[in-house]
Amino acid sequence: MTGAITDRAVDDSARETAITQWLADFERALRARNIDAAAAMFVDDCYWRDLVAFTWNIITIEGPEGVRKMLAQTLDQVQPTGFAVAEELGAAAADTESWIKFETSVGRGIGHLRLRDGKAWTLLTTLNDLKGHEEPEHDRRPIGTEHGAVPNRKTWLEQRRREAEELGHATQPYVVIVGGGQGGIALGARLRQLGVPTIIVDRNPRPGDAWRKRYKSLTLHDPVWYDHLPYIDFPPNWPVFSPKDKIADWLEMYTRVMELNYWDSTECKRATYDEAAKEWTVVVERGGVEMTLRPKQLVLATGMSGKPSMPDIEGMEVFTGDQHHSSQHPGPDAYRGKKAVVIGSNNSAHDICAALWEVGADVTMVQRSSTHVARSDSLMELGLGSLYSESAVASGMTTQKADLTFASIPYRLLHVFQIPVYDAIRERDADFYARLEKAGFMLDFGDDNSGLFMKYLRRGSGYYIDVGASELVANGDIKLEPGVDVVRLTENAVVLSNGKTLPADLVVYATGYGSMNGWAADLISPGVAAKVGKCWGLGSGTSKDPGPWEGELRNMWKPTQQAALWFHGGNLHQSRHYSLYLALQLKARMEGIPTPVYGLQEVHHLS
Amino acid sequence: MTGAITDRAVDDSARETAITQWLADFERALRARNIDAAAAMFVDDCYWRDLVAFTWNIITIEGPEGVRKMLAQTLDQVQPTGFAVAEELGAAAADTESWIKFETSVGRGIGHLRLRDGKAWTLLTTLNDLKGHEEPEHDRRPIGTEHGAVPNRKTWLEQRRREAEELGHATQPYVVIVGGGQGGIALGARLRQLGVPTIIVDRNPRPGDAWRKRYKSLTLHDPVWYDHLPYIDFPPNWPVFSPKDKIADWLEMYTRVMELNYWDSTECKRATYDEAAKEWTVVVERGGVEMTLRPKQLVLATGMSGKPSMPDIEGMEVFTGDQHHSSQHPGPDAYRGKKAVVIGSNNSAHDICAALWEVGADVTMVQRSSTHVARSDSLMELGLGSLYSESAVASGMTTQKADLTFASIPYRLLHVFQIPVYDAIRERDADFYARLEKAGFMLDFGDDNSGLFMKYLRRGSGYYIDVGASELVANGDIKLEPGVDVVRLTENAVVLSNGKTLPADLVVYATGYGSMNGWAADLISPGVAAKVGKCWGLGSGTSKDPGPWEGELRNMWKPTQQAALWFHGGNLHQSRHYSLYLALQLKARMEGIPTPVYGLQEVHHLS
């Protein structure tokens, strides 16, 4: 026992020596504005990922020359100091890496450093708070009542009601968030804590309805440890996979207790930006009445998978059965004993096929192209287990550390870390995959065998997290038509490119979603959508993610080519983590803190 | 550094030696059923506090002879084993004490041991879970979806709706809880996790209304760290003192996400127990319709301060102004510029006086007897700081450990620990107290100078946690009439025993609350109320807490003289902590686990 403690102490101090030495040297070079010396402290194939701390951007710098250029342009403004090991985050995973902290002229940052041969291989820098604008939590939490005697005191309820009545009428919000799903809600919560007046508008009657209205068998495909919102964790009895109506209730309650100004039953009709006044005109319809909001910043949080892509197929207009996009599918109850054709083979397609089969429908899945499948158990254990699991929590992993660990791996390298995971999954589930392929299912693991998460980042599609449907495909309960396309619909059938005609009472188009800048086209203008360009994707040059390499998700949570227009979205993990950086960017602008953006992304693709 | 580690290791092992030796010896004696040897391991003035683990009761055993008697009657049933230091709870506060764990024939327990001269001075044993009936949390949390293909699957929403529709109609709850405040809600949450079918009935339209309907300036007087409910902590930005409407929203949210079967707008009319069938008949009125529930167990959670005591004063019927009990007081808004007389000098009286003064009312407080006052800041720092504060949390204190630490001090000794705290408060706030007494305020610190918390436990009254009103009393803004009583009311005034006549537009009776068994009288019968006797209080022989000494709060969270009738109440801390033991008692009975009660309390007082 004592021996072990001593050993660890030695390791710690060895690591600290290398890390603290690097940090001290780095700070000395930066203070001296010796940019060449600083850049020379990075290995040739280095990556410096910055989340808003140095660049007021979300960007990954590559190579010492990239570092040199960035520092040359940012250093006088950022004035970084106080680089040190962040003891409060505990030990890092290996001897050559460490949690770090630092300060800038305007804020405090935390980050992560990996050394190789004494030089920086990967560096993560993130802005954690703004000096003088810290969130009122823990020892800064509000007192809740004003002690003493306060003539004509306003109670919490009176103040809250007055704010709700005045905001958007007598006073204008600084930010309008369009879309009140998990993304808009998480961002709204952070902005409230930062004191940024914000209105979230959502067309549905209640927070959570975006989940409630989906097909009834839907549960989250990500496990609970990955899904916490900021500030309030799910309780320890929360299901591993939240049923859709349960997560909806949670979002509704969260919206209330976090005191968000959430305008339900409100549709955003159009928005225009006045470049001179630096102000948006946002027309919304609330309770049947059109009204105008004039925020300084506009965030589209309408869902990274929010804009349905409907195919245009000959004969759709003559088909007499039910047909709808998967996002509109109500669930199986009306289709007992009916014939259903589901076009597509990603998550929704599988979920919907399985639910239809469970009520006794005759179901065919039309698989147009190859699809990646990973079993949920295997993903949880091999993919997420070390960061997001009960055992990770038990061994001291926090959500913050897990998020930052994940963020510390540059996207350029992420597939290298992912490939062995999926190799292991493929081996572990070899029988499963064999059965699936024997049934004709066209299986892939991504262009470079890096699996599900890279597909999610690169193209946001092309996979199914198996929770049971694959077994039905393998055993033929769900009929499969692989490698075909739909040629046309008739009055009562779907005609395929292989010549087959499938009688159908129901056709579900599980055909995915378009880029979020489509929302900008609808709400603002096609011109602004084109100016901003495609959202999501990394430019990896793999299927549906054309190059050039961009290094970060396009347009997400960071400045776009359209001033004062922002995109927020993604899964619960991303909504939680990246809402922090978007909120800090918005807060800084509200407070008039200079936010010079380094490396504003260029537009290479329109959608 | 290494030196410090080594030192601590030595201390730890020294402690562990004494503690583990005691535990090993104790277990050996118990296994051998050598009760005399076991009793001899306690010092003469020992206390063994058991929360349901050994006695199926909440009881404090005193002295070795008490230990001997209790073991003689319980040991064969309890079969305790596995006594060990509970490493998972960390280090205890001193070398002579330790967190412990053990098992019984039916469950697992945790506790706390303080040694003196190698013998047990205080021992706390608590039942933590029932074997085979562990709560589904952490690595036992529900999966949330049934993976695989399940013909005619029912979704979470369908199952939840069916349960809500059937419970109380097609199926009967095992438990009915009357009263849906913090107590009923916390207990309901635990029972749900334990799989005990439960209905909470509350007359108000929404969970939290018991708070919403109180006077508008009300905030919790206890700080946030003391107030967490089970399972979901308040977030780090929650105010130190929750405004009443904010805590109400939290309770409403909590009720929903914890999936409680909460019947709002439902009034419990009457209940009778069928001793032969061992079943209650509970008549409730829901939506204007009377219906009957037939639970096996009935819990009154109607509020330890739920049953208003209205005085009977000559002339009340001729008074033409507004008059109401403090529990009915709406707040000051209707009384700007009016004359108000508040009868009483405890928390509500002070809060109401201050709020009336703040809107410009002319306010007089009628102080009938001496009152303890402690400033909120001083209480937080000196009274609660070591267990319930931001700094306690920062230094590793958890809510569970704080609750158990508090529970580990026997009530017989608690005043000894409390007196120095209030000595320090008195010294720190000497100027404040001097000003208050100079204004004529009759101040006390309890019969034995043990201060506020002992008054709360002994009599549930007699104090004010100062958040500002005392300054108004001291400077005369709130007029004070000390040491007098109300003789009668006239049409427009209050006549005092000192001969003064106070003109009044409003009279507030801040005259406190009756014992909870008054609810049993109203809902069941005066006979059952008398059979059960007074609730709350310790029998300390101090003012309003007549002896004999009973050692625990009367009738709270434990078996009463009426089979299948239970009382649950108290502040948020108590609702959180003791709901665990009440829930385990109810669960054990539902599962048919033998629950022989040792030391069922006798009735010494009727109310």
Short mmCIF file of all heavy atoms in Angstrom, two decimals, chain B residues 1-17:
data_model
loop_
_atom_site.label_atom_id
_atom_site.label_comp_id
_atom_site.label_asym_id
_atom_site.label_seq_id
_atom_site.Cartn_x
_atom_site.Cartn_y
_atom_site.Cartn_z
N MET B 1 5.45 16.13 2.30
CA MET B 1 4.27 15.52 1.63
C MET B 1 4.20 14.03 1.93
O MET B 1 3.23 13.53 2.46
CB MET B 1 4.38 15.77 0.11
CG MET B 1 3.16 15.33 -0.67
SD MET B 1 1.72 16.38 -0.32
CE MET B 1 0.45 15.47 -1.20
N THR B 2 5.33 13.36 1.61
CA THR B 2 5.36 11.92 1.90
C THR B 2 5.24 11.70 3.41
O THR B 2 4.55 10.79 3.86
CB THR B 2 6.68 11.30 1.39
OG1 THR B 2 6.86 11.71 0.05
CG2 THR B 2 6.63 9.80 1.46
N GLY B 3 5.90 12.59 4.15
CA GLY B 3 5.79 12.51 5.60
C GLY B 3 4.34 12.57 6.06
O GLY B 3 3.89 11.77 6.86
N ALA B 4 3.63 13.53 5.49
CA ALA B 4 2.23 13.69 5.88
C ALA B 4 1.43 12.44 5.57
O ALA B 4 0.61 11.98 6.36
CB ALA B 4 1.63 14.90 5.17
N ILE B 5 1.67 11.91 4.38
CA ILE B 5 0.95 10.69 3.99
C ILE B 5 1.25 9.57 4.98
O ILE B 5 0.35 8.89 5.46
CB ILE B 5 1.34 10.26 2.56
CG1 ILE B 5 0.73 11.24 1.56
CG2 ILE B 5 0.88 8.85 2.27
CD1 ILE B 5 1.21 11.06 0.15
N THR B 6 2.53 9.45 5.32
CA THR B 6 2.90 8.39 6.24
C THR B 6 2.24 8.59 7.60
O THR B 6 1.67 7.67 8.17
CB THR B 6 4.44 8.36 6.41
OG1 THR B 6 5.01 8.39 5.11
CG2 THR B 6 4.87 7.11 7.14
N ASP B 7 2.28 9.84 8.07
CA ASP B 7 1.64 10.11 9.35
C ASP B 7 0.19 9.71 9.33
O ASP B 7 -0.32 9.07 10.25
CB ASP B 7 1.72 11.62 9.68
CG ASP B 7 3.15 12.00 10.06
OD1 ASP B 7 3.95 11.07 10.22
OD2 ASP B 7 3.42 13.20 10.18
N ARG B 8 -0.49 10.11 8.27
CA ARG B 8 -1.91 9.84 8.23
C ARG B 8 -2.15 8.33 8.20
O ARG B 8 -3.06 7.82 8.82
CB ARG B 8 -2.56 10.50 7.02
CG ARG B 8 -3.97 10.97 7.33
CD ARG B 8 -4.61 11.63 6.14
NE ARG B 8 -4.61 10.74 5.00
CZ ARG B 8 -4.92 11.14 3.78
NH1 ARG B 8 -5.22 12.39 3.54
NH2 ARG B 8 -4.92 10.28 2.78
N ALA B 9 -1.30 7.67 7.43
CA ALA B 9 -1.45 6.22 7.34
C ALA B 9 -1.34 5.60 8.74
O ALA B 9 -2.12 4.71 9.09
CB ALA B 9 -0.39 5.65 6.41
N VAL B 10 -0.40 6.09 9.52
CA VAL B 10 -0.25 5.56 10.87
C VAL B 10 -1.50 5.82 11.70
O VAL B 10 -2.06 4.95 12.34
CB VAL B 10 0.99 6.17 11.56
CG1 VAL B 10 0.97 5.85 13.05
CG2 VAL B 10 2.26 5.63 10.92
N ASP B 11 -2.00 7.07 11.63
CA ASP B 11 -3.21 7.41 12.38
C ASP B 11 -4.36 6.51 11.95
O ASP B 11 -5.09 5.96 12.76
CB ASP B 11 -3.59 8.86 12.14
CG ASP B 11 -2.67 9.79 12.92
OD1 ASP B 11 -1.93 9.29 13.78
OD2 ASP B 11 -2.71 10.98 12.65
N ASP B 12 -4.51 6.41 10.64
CA ASP B 12 -5.58 5.58 10.12
C ASP B 12 -5.49 4.18 10.69
O ASP B 12 -6.49 3.61 11.13
CB ASP B 12 -5.50 5.51 8.59
CG ASP B 12 -6.23 6.68 7.96
OD1 ASP B 12 -6.79 7.49 8.72
OD2 ASP B 12 -6.21 6.78 6.72
N SER B 13 -4.30 3.66 10.65
CA SER B 13 -4.20 2.26 11.04
C SER B 13 -4.39 2.13 12.54
O SER B 13 -4.97 1.16 13.02
CB SER B 13 -2.87 1.67 10.58
OG SER B 13 -1.87 1.96 11.52
N ALA B 14 -3.95 3.15 13.31
CA ALA B 14 -4.21 3.11 14.74
C ALA B 14 -5.71 3.11 15.01
O ALA B 14 -6.23 2.32 15.79
CB ALA B 14 -3.56 4.31 15.44
N ARG B 15 -6.38 4.03 14.32
CA ARG B 15 -7.82 4.08 14.50
C ARG B 15 -8.45 2.76 14.09
O ARG B 15 -9.24 2.18 14.80
CB ARG B 15 -8.44 5.20 13.67
CG ARG B 15 -9.96 5.05 13.62
CD ARG B 15 -10.64 6.21 12.99
NE ARG B 15 -10.12 6.47 11.66
CZ ARG B 15 -10.26 7.62 11.03
NH1 ARG B 15 -10.86 8.60 11.64
NH2 ARG B 15 -9.78 7.79 9.83
N GLU B 16 -8.03 2.33 12.91
CA GLU B 16 -8.64 1.11 12.40
C GLU B 16 -8.42 -0.05 13.35
O GLU B 16 -9.29 -0.89 13.53
CB GLU B 16 -8.11 0.78 11.01
CG GLU B 16 -8.85 1.57 9.95
CD GLU B 16 -8.53 1.10 8.55
OE1 GLU B 16 -8.11 -0.06 8.40
OE2 GLU B 16 -8.69 1.91 7.63
N THR B 17 -7.27 -0.06 13.97
CA THR B 17 -7.01 -1.15 14.90
C THR B 17 -8.04 -1.16 16.03
O THR B 17 -8.67 -2.18 16.29
CB THR B 17 -5.59 -1.04 15.48
OG1 THR B 17 -4.69 -1.01 14.38
CG2 THR B 17 -5.27 -2.21 16.37
#
